[in-house]
Amino acid sequence: MADVEIRNVAKSFGPTDIIRNINVEVPDGAFVVLVGPSGCGKSTLLRMIAGLEDIDKGEISIGGRVINDVEPKHRDIAMVFQNYALYPHMTIAENMGFSLRLAKQSKAEIDQRVGDAARILGLTDYLQRFPKQLSGGQRQRVAMGRAIVRQPQVFLFDEPLSNLDAKLRVQMRGELKDMHARFKTTTIYVTHDQIEAMTMADLIVVMRDGVVEQIGTPLDLYDFPANMFVGSFIGSPAMNFLTGTVRQAQGQQIFETGSGFRLPVQAAAGAADGLTATLGIRPEHLSLSSKGEGLGGKIVTIEPTGSETFVVVQLGEDRISALLRQRLTASIGDELWLAPQPNTTHLFDSATTKRLAGA
Amino acid sequence: MLRRKRWLFAILAILPTLALFAWLRMFPIYETLRLSLHKWDILSKNKPFIGLANFQELMSDRLFHEALLNTSIIAFGVLIITIPTAMVLAALIHYRTRSRVSGFYETAIFLPHVVSLVPAAMAWKWIFDARLGPLNAVLTFLGFEPQAWLFDPTLSVISVIVLCSWQALGYAVLIYLVGFKSLPVSLFEAAKLDGASGPQSFWFLSMPMLKPITLYVSVVTLVSGFNVYAQAFVLASDAQGAPGRQVRVLVLDMLENSFRNYRVGYAASEAVVLLLIVLVLTLIQFSLLRERGRA
């Protein structure tokens, strides 16, 4: 096990900057998830750690050793690819033992380590089969097995679950977490799926356009998003945004929209009177309110799932969505009034998109 | 009703091609098979049926045996040289695609395949020439004895093999390049992380995964190797200068029997033997291919 430090790292492909001056510290034994939309540079960063891409600027170190110019095979890492990258002409046992065979380990040693990994992953019965004879989930397990047998200092995962169906993804998520709990190996995991990030990570690194937007624990990111991007990216369904101004009234600060919706807020210093701001409200933090109180509009969409009801309400030109715990008797076109629960909203500076305060 | 109409249309659409195929491909094969059981001298109207007599005669025909042996040596020689060379050259070109001159290499290797056979063979005849050829000049310069490349019975066969391989290489490299390009990059990245060096990746991944390509290229190379004619004809003349006598190949033997000795039926029986050899070798290779598919 080892910590991983990424210091001032940058990378560009031709004139396009893919990674711009990124700093991340991955503590020893932590499960860190790099998350962000497509093209944000998360996979490139992972591949730079693996040694599959050169590092243009900055340093990456594993266990205190700078690995910029170290061959991938000497970095003591193992990587699981999105498409599994299993060798199609080798059996499962050969796939898992390939690295050991190249390292000239004895056959007995290879058999034992492959056997151990296969037992952990429930692959013992499949060792003599070929990859194409296995299901997607089993192949993913083989890819994990191939990583485990090497007993590396760091595991790297590049969107390993995105080729699986939804049910299998949930199951494999659990298995990955179990595996991490068992081996406690430092893990860096790339995904574009914020649910995967939230459920698995000790620490999440949110990236966009080659820049780190925020680093924190899953609940930190959920409760205190540093900017509007993180607010909208973390959490599902996505956060609602209402544009308005911050006003000083009767000794307190009020957020006010053009349509007359008002909410007391505690904006940080620098939130001058009349500042254009954006209020973020998570759909799950809206509750039904009585007429004239909070935000009112006509229902556009209504999706009952049994345990909760998802509604979208037209609010002037905006639409806001709400996830309600109770069932609704209303239907499309009816008027609905919603109010944010106390101390659950987020205030952002509209110009910089940065967080001003919670309210 | 509609289905029947569609079916009729499909048949009508395919019929011209099918007819052409039957006329140009199937009919000559059928005619060759028929002729091999008859005696015919091109001119006479009579083509008496003589059963397997032509084939019986082949058994004890010294010239035919020589031609069959030479042709087999050339075909397998070309195969043995072409396949590994093509694979390595394709790998070098593929893994150096960032190099500015890779396009030049690709063209340079493919060029012999499109150059007309006779001028190319003439050029090689000059290279192999015992007195004026650059090959002997180089050998002499390096302190070796000059060789009579095109007159020595063994060396002349080797010369034909070299010429045929030079021609076959371009096509084989091209097909291998397509094969290399279709191999998934992530497998090689995984191998890199597993600790494989470039040559190890080539040995453990590229070669086994390119097996279907290798089998295909082998079939094509071997079949064209068994049809060798012009190369031997232009390159290797005997002491009196008669072309093709030095390295006697099956196609030449057939031509001589047909149009010099006027024994078309006999030549047809040789063609049938050649057809059978090629057919059997192709079947063996395809069964190997299918076995790979099952793995």
Side-chain angles (χ1 to χ4, degrees):
Chain A
M1 283 188 290
D3 60 333
V4 177
E5 268 190 68
I6 299 164
R7 284 183 296 268
N8 306 318
V9 162
K11 169 89 187 167
S12 48
F13 291 131
T16 321
D17 292 333
I18 302 295
I19 305 273
R20 306 167 203 216
N21 200 39
I22 279 189
N23 286 286
V24 179
E25 277 186 35
V26 179
D28 192 1
F31 196 117
V32 172
V33 174
L34 306 180
V35 69
S38 304
C40 71
K42 55 193 189 298
S43 280
T44 307
L45 185 61
L46 192 80
R47 291 167 59 82
M48 286 161 88
I49 301 169
L52 298 173
E53 300 285 353
D54 292 335
I55 300 162
D56 287 355
K57 256 192 245 163
E59 265 182 6
I60 297 180
S61 64
I62 297 176
R65 178 175 68 130
V66 176
I67 45 95
N68 284 36
D69 299 317
V70 177
E71 284 275 304
K73 60 179 169 184
H74 295 135
R75 292 188 180 197
D76 211 356
I77 43 134
M79 183 159 164
V80 175
F81 292 82
Q82 180 176 358
N83 60 359
Y84 324 129
L86 299 180
Y87 312 124
H89 57 290
M90 296 187 198
T91 63
I92 301 312
E94 286 167 343
N95 261 285
M96 285 166 69
F98 187 56
S99 60
L100 303 177
R101 185 172 153 206
L102 289 173
K104 301 214 161 47
Q105 301 276 353
S106 70
K107 191 170 180 308
E109 171 78 10
I110 295 175
D111 286 348
Q112 185 183 344
R113 272 158 77 173
V114 169
D116 288 348
R119 244 189 317 283
I120 292 166
L121 295 162
L123 289 169
T124 311
D125 294 339
Y126 304 100
L127 284 175
Q128 294 317 314
R129 294 205 191 167
F130 287 91
K132 69 174 175 193
Q133 295 169 309
L134 302 189
S135 69
Q138 288 167 331
R139 284 183 213 182
Q140 189 52 264
R141 250 181 247 144
V142 176
M144 273 153 59
R146 189 167 65 178
I148 292 173
V149 293
R150 298 186 56 195
Q151 300 169 348
Q153 297 213 44
V154 181
F155 279 133
L156 304 176
F157 289 92
D158 189 6
E159 309 217 13
L161 306 184
S162 43
N163 283 3
L164 303 178
D165 63 54
K167 199 176 163 194
L168 204 54
R169 215 178 297 163
V170 174
Q171 185 193 332
M172 291 302 289
R173 231 155 55 192
E175 289 187 20
L176 271 169
K177 268 177 98 168
D178 287 349
M179 194 173 98
H180 182 251
R182 187 179 187 134
F183 295 109
K184 303 230 166 15
T185 308
T186 311
T187 302
I188 304 177
Y189 185 105
V190 162
T191 180
H192 62 269
D193 180 352
Q194 58 91 24
I195 304 244
E196 258 174 47
M198 293 294 281
T199 50
M200 296 168 80
D202 295 328
L203 213 56
I204 296 179
V205 178
V206 183
M207 290 177 66
R208 180 173 61 156
D209 295 338
V211 177
V212 171
E213 295 282 349
Q214 191 173 359
I215 302 178
T217 62
L219 293 182
D220 264 352
L221 296 189
Y222 182 85
D223 291 336
F224 309 104
N227 52 43
M228 286 169 66
F229 173 74
V230 177
S232 66
F233 195 79
I234 299 291
S236 174
M239 187 183 267
N240 297 297
F241 291 112
L242 295 173
T243 312
T245 42
V246 177
R247 299 240 174 261
Q248 305 284 345
Q250 295 130 26
Q252 63 170 348
Q253 288 175 315
I254 304 275
F255 173 81
E256 190 178 48
T257 67
S259 63
F261 168 68
R262 290 160 69 95
L263 188 78
V265 290
Q266 283 134 27
D273 189 28
L275 179 82
T276 310
T278 303
L279 188 73
I281 313 168
R282 295 199 183 277
E284 57 273 33
H285 293 153
L286 282 165
S287 319
L288 291 178
S289 60
S290 37
K291 190 170 176 167
E293 203 176 290
L295 301 154
K298 286 206 161 73
I299 298 176
V300 185
T301 306
I302 180 159
E303 292 172 355
T305 61
S307 62
E308 48 203 13
T309 311
F310 178 72
V311 280
V312 179
V313 174
Q314 188 77 40
L315 210 70
E317 286 188 358
D318 296 326
R319 281 183 174 189
I320 59 164
S321 53
L323 198 62
L324 306 167
R325 294 298 298 177
Q326 63 266 59
R327 297 192 178 181
L328 279 185
T329 47
S331 47
I332 291 174
D334 290 353
E335 199 180 51
L336 192 74
W337 283 84
L338 299 161
Q341 291 153 17
N343 304 320
T344 58
T345 57
H346 311 267
L347 194 66
F348 302 97
D349 184 330
S350 293
T352 63
T353 79
K354 289 212 168 91
R355 179 184 183 81
L356 289 169
Chain B
M1 189 64 196
L2 187 73
R3 248 182 102 187
R4 204 172 141 191
K5 255 189 184 171
R6 266 195 193 176
W7 200 75
L8 207 69
F9 173 75
I11 290 289
L12 283 175
I14 211 170
L15 211 58
T17 320
L18 214 60
L20 216 60
F21 181 77
W23 183 46
L24 294 174
R25 290 279 180 177
M26 302 314 288
F27 178 68
I29 292 176
Y30 164 75
E31 195 59 14
T32 308
L33 287 171
R34 201 178 62 83
L35 272 176
S36 72
L37 304 173
H38 293 76
K39 187 178 175 179
W40 188 40
D41 61 4
I42 290 192
L43 298 172
S44 102
K45 269 186 174 175
N46 284 338
K47 293 182 198 171
F49 178 80
I50 52 166
L52 294 171
N54 281 332
F55 292 94
Q56 273 165 354
E57 196 185 333
L58 277 180
M59 300 273 200
S60 53
D61 182 345
R62 197 185 50 78
L63 282 178
F64 171 70
H65 292 170
E66 186 194 327
L68 186 61
L69 183 70
N70 277 340
T71 309
S72 305
I73 291 173
I74 290 169
F76 281 98
V78 172
L79 183 75
I80 289 164
I81 292 180
T82 304
I83 299 299
T85 318
M87 201 189 247
V88 171
L89 280 175
L92 288 176
I93 291 174
H94 178 68
Y95 291 113
R96 293 284 177 273
T97 38
R98 279 183 201 163
S99 155
R100 274 186 212 165
V101 285
S102 73
F104 166 75
Y105 287 132
E106 234 168 285
T107 317
I109 288 170
F110 188 65
L111 215 54
H113 191 71
V114 286
V115 168
S116 288
L117 210 144
V118 174
M122 290 302 288
W124 278 92
K125 196 178 168 79
W126 171 70
I127 290 174
F128 285 125
D129 192 280
R131 281 180 300 150
L132 304 170
L135 183 60
N136 270 349
V138 171
L139 284 179
T140 319
F141 180 76
L142 294 173
F144 293 100
E145 281 285 303
Q147 301 289 333
W149 291 102
L150 302 176
F151 295 103
D152 183 272
T154 312
L155 288 181
S156 52
V157 172
I158 292 177
S159 302
V160 174
I161 291 177
V162 169
L163 169 58
C164 293
S165 306
W166 174 76
Q167 281 184 314
L169 205 58
Y171 181 70
V173 167
L174 192 78
I175 300 292
Y176 268 118
L177 270 176
V178 175
F180 273 108
K181 279 173 191 162
S182 71
L183 296 179
V185 179
S186 63
L187 290 186
F188 290 88
E189 290 181 341
K192 210 169 166 184
L193 295 178
D194 271 344
S197 62
Q200 280 174 324
S201 292
F202 178 75
W203 183 261
F204 289 116
L205 298 188
S206 308
M207 265 176 50
M209 285 195 288
L210 287 174
K211 211 169 148 191
I213 301 269
T214 303
L215 281 162
Y216 169 73
V217 177
S218 309
V219 170
V220 173
T221 311
L222 207 59
V223 169
S224 73
F226 268 99
N227 284 310
V228 60
Y229 163 62
Q231 296 91 334
F233 190 81
V234 178
L235 208 56
S237 322
D238 68 1
Q240 278 89 44
R245 291 283 171 78
Q246 179 68 38
V247 181
R248 196 176 185 84
V249 292
L250 268 183
V251 177
L252 180 91
D253 205 49
M254 276 179 234
L255 277 169
E256 286 208 334
N257 277 324
S258 298
F259 302 112
R260 194 183 290 254
N261 306 336
Y262 302 119
R263 301 187 63 200
V264 179
Y266 187 63
S269 67
E270 285 185 278
V272 171
V273 172
L274 180 62
L275 178 74
L276 285 177
I277 292 172
V278 171
L279 209 63
V280 167
L281 288 172
T282 311
L283 283 177
I284 291 173
Q285 283 167 320
F286 272 96
S287 69
L288 284 173
L289 185 78
R290 229 169 278 133
E291 236 166 64
R292 162 67 179 79
R294 222 176 286 139

